[in-house]
């Protein structure tokens, strides 16, 4: 038994808009992705027998991308703990509220608890012009070696329109364009070419952007290169703060150091956002000619309403953890400044951040993540989407 079975995969095309993460990981062909599946299978085999079915089910869940990535996050944490010389018990029966945290960890005779949570930044409003996934996939499968497209939905119908005429019309239009001529005309301030497609109550306007000469002819390139701008993103500090709040008091008194491990996918991740969420907003006070710096009492550990937050000894964060970033990202342990907190253990592959007065003092990791995970630094080896590959996507 394994998570991913071995079979002759032939479709090496990028992830499609209508495709779930579970479908993509199981379908994608190529040596790069074989390495990903092999390591996931190996790490899954390191779990105790009773924990394997649940994790496997989440990794293969075609109805929830969150389940897939939360399971990958837990696999990564479990393997990092094992590679750091720890022994790990899955979902131990400890705490005062009858619920089981993810990991009870023992290292050098000391024990601590780790609870994992995965969170992803989302658009704060709907995209200004959403394109149905089936339509986006149909356009992305068009051969377009010389141009990529942007689009705007001028009018949206109730049902997904038929794709055949759209693909035929776009193919003829793109074939009629010369990329070098378009570039030359654009340098003379001529607007880039546009084409409006209409079908029933649908109307979509496309604009063609010439690919750079060195990027032309790549069969893995998507045809859609620019999607409409969304209304905005949700607030990253609030998302991290909410994740820690949800887990921080869930288990009551554990009588051990307690680390909440937050894996978060973000469009523009910044450590400063995590710093704000946990330690409070940094502010500057003007007193005459000499400004001073302080913090608002609005962080997880510093808020006036932070009663009980000292149970959390530290928060471990990794920006955008995924199989292709596992060996390249350094986890950061944000240590609690609350004097009632039990000190959080620090593993060699973790960098640290600690609040001293109003400043955050950082220390680097003493060991690389890839060394602890037993993988090369530049893993997976090779290209995710080589320029030439066999594919049955069309």
């Amino acid at each position: 038994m394994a998570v991913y079975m071995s079979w002759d995969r032939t479709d090496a095309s990028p992830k499609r808009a209508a495709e779930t993460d579970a479908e993509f990981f199981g379908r994608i062909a190529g040596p790069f992705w074989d390495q990903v599946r092999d390591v996931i299978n190996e790490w899954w085999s390191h779990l105790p027998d009773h924990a394997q079915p649940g994790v496997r089910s989440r990794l293969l869940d075609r109805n929830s991308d969150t389940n897939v990535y939360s399971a990958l996050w837990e696999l990564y944490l479990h393997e990092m703990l094992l590679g750091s010389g720890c022994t790990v018990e899955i979902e131990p029966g400890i705490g005062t509220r009858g619920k089981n945290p993810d990991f009870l960890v023992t290292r050098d005779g000391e024990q601590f608890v780790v609870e994992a949570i995965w969170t992803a930044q989302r658009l704060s409003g709907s995209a200004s012009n959403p394109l149905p996934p089936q339509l986006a996939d149909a356009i992305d499968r068009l051969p377009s070696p010389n141009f990529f497209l942007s689009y705007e939905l001028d009018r949206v119908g109730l049902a997904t329109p038929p794709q055949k005429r759209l693909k035929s019309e776009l193919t003829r239009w793109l074939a009629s364009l010369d990329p070098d001529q378009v570039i030359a005309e654009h340098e003379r301030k001529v607007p880039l070419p546009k084409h409006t497609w209409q079908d029933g109550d649908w109307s979509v306007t496309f604009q063609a952007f010439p690919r750079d000469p060195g990027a032309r002819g790549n069969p893995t390139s998507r045809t859609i290169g620019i999607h409409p701008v969304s209304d905005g993103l949700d607030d990253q500090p609030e998302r991290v703060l909410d994740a820690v709040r949800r887990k921080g008091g869930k288990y009551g008194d554990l009588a051990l150091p307690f680390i909440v491990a937050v894996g978060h996918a973000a469009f523009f991740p910044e450590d400063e956002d995590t710093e704000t969420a946990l330690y409070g907003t940094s502010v500057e006070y003007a007193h005459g000619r000499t400004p001073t710096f302080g913090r608002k009492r609005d962080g997880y550990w510093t808020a006036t309403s932070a009663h009980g937050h000292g149970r959390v000894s530290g928060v471990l964060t990794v920006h955008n953890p995924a199989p292709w970033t596992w060996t390249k990202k350094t986890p950061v342990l944000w240590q609690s400044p609350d004097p009632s907190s039990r000190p959080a253990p620090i593993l060699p592959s973790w960098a640290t951040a600690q609040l001293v007065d109003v400043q955050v003092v950082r220390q680097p990791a003493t060991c690389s993540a890839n060394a602890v995970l037993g993988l090369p630094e530049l893993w997976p080896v090779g290209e995710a989407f080589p320029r030439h590959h066999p594919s049955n996507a069309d």
Side-chain angles (χ1 to χ4, degrees):
M1 177 69 73
V3 177
Y4 302 107
M5 301 298 108
S6 178
W7 52 280
D8 186 20
R9 295 173 171 87
T10 59
D11 187 351
S13 58
K15 186 176 182 293
R16 297 185 270 272
E19 190 173 37
T20 67
D21 286 317
E23 290 169 330
F24 172 73
F25 282 122
R27 181 266 302 171
I28 183 71
F32 181 98
W33 300 102
D34 289 339
Q35 295 170 69
V36 169
R37 283 185 289 267
D38 287 346
V39 164
I40 291 173
N41 280 341
E42 180 184 351
W43 289 5
W44 175 81
S45 73
H46 297 166
L47 295 171
D49 291 345
H50 74 272
Q52 290 180 358
V55 173
R56 183 178 187 274
S57 176
R58 289 158 58 207
L59 288 168
L60 299 178
D61 189 345
R62 296 189 173 198
N63 297 311
S64 172
D65 290 345
T66 296
N67 271 350
V68 173
Y69 270 94
S70 65
L72 288 171
W73 174 234
E74 290 173 24
L75 267 186
Y76 161 85
L77 290 170
H78 184 260
E79 195 66 22
M80 177 165 283
L81 292 168
L82 294 181
S84 301
C86 304
T87 58
V88 183
E89 181 180 346
I90 307 292
E91 296 185 346
I94 59 176
T96 58
R97 295 192 176 174
K99 299 178 180 179
N100 300 339
D102 289 322
F103 305 129
L104 174 61
V105 185
T106 304
R107 185 174 187 267
D108 296 335
E110 295 183 324
Q111 289 190 313
F112 60 98
V113 174
V114 175
E115 172 71 4
I117 182 170
W118 168 264
T119 183
Q121 191 171 24
R122 302 185 186 280
L123 302 178
S124 60
S126 60
S128 57
N129 289 306
L131 192 67
Q134 299 89 338
L135 213 57
D137 286 337
I139 297 168
D140 267 333
R141 287 196 292 269
L142 290 176
S144 183
N146 297 324
F147 293 89
F148 65 86
L149 301 177
S150 69
Y151 67 89
E152 290 289 341
L153 268 71
D154 309 310
R155 194 170 61 249
V156 179
L158 296 177
T160 302
Q163 302 169 8
K164 186 174 181 179
R165 192 171 73 80
L166 169 62
K167 293 195 294 184
S168 176
E169 196 170 314
L170 282 179
T171 298
R172 288 196 302 271
W173 173 57
L174 290 170
S176 72
L177 303 176
D178 182 313
D180 295 323
Q181 180 181 349
V182 170
I183 290 173
E185 291 177 348
H186 189 59
E187 289 174 349
R188 298 195 300 270
K189 309 302 182 184
V190 176
L192 293 170
K194 289 186 176 182
H195 175 80
T196 297
W197 170 82
Q198 295 181 335
D199 189 297
D201 49 1
W202 284 85
S203 177
V204 186
T205 297
F206 297 92
Q207 187 169 34
F209 293 76
R211 299 187 191 274
D212 291 335
R216 296 174 191 171
N218 184 353
T220 67
S221 296
R222 296 178 185 268
T223 300
I224 299 176
I226 302 175
H227 290 267
V229 177
S230 69
D231 296 335
L233 303 173
D234 68 4
D235 188 69
Q236 186 174 329
E238 283 297 320
R239 187 165 41 85
V240 173
L241 183 58
D242 180 64
V244 181
R245 282 174 176 162
R246 285 167 54 194
K247 295 294 188 177
K250 185 175 180 179
Y251 304 103
D253 186 6
L254 293 164
L256 289 170
F258 179 35
I259 295 172
V260 177
V262 182
H264 58 107
F267 293 95
F268 307 105
E270 297 287 348
D271 276 349
E272 287 77 7
D273 292 326
T274 305
E275 177 182 313
T276 296
L278 300 178
Y279 297 145
T281 306
S282 179
V283 293
E284 180 179 344
Y285 301 101
H287 297 289
R289 296 182 178 180
T290 306
T292 59
F293 297 90
R295 288 188 180 273
K296 293 183 180 179
R297 298 183 64 82
D298 58 356
Y300 178 76
W301 283 302
T302 61
T304 54
S305 59
H307 176 70
H309 290 185
R311 290 173 177 167
V312 177
S313 306
V315 174
L316 187 74
T317 61
V318 178
H319 295 314
N320 294 322
W324 45 91
T325 68
W326 282 338
T327 63
K328 305 170 185 70
K329 300 281 188 175
T330 299
V332 179
L333 178 67
W334 303 81
Q335 298 170 282
S336 170
D338 191 320
S340 70
S341 296
R342 294 177 173 87
I346 302 170
L347 299 187
S349 58
W350 296 353
T352 62
Q354 185 176 22
L355 186 65
V356 178
D357 294 326
V358 297
Q359 300 297 322
V360 175
V361 177
R362 301 172 185 268
Q363 297 294 333
T366 59
C367 179
S368 66
N370 69 284
V372 169
L373 296 173
L375 295 170
E377 181 181 1
L378 300 179
W379 180 92
V381 178
E383 295 182 52
F385 304 105
R387 287 179 59 89
H388 300 289
H389 59 71
S391 172
N392 62 6
D394 296 331

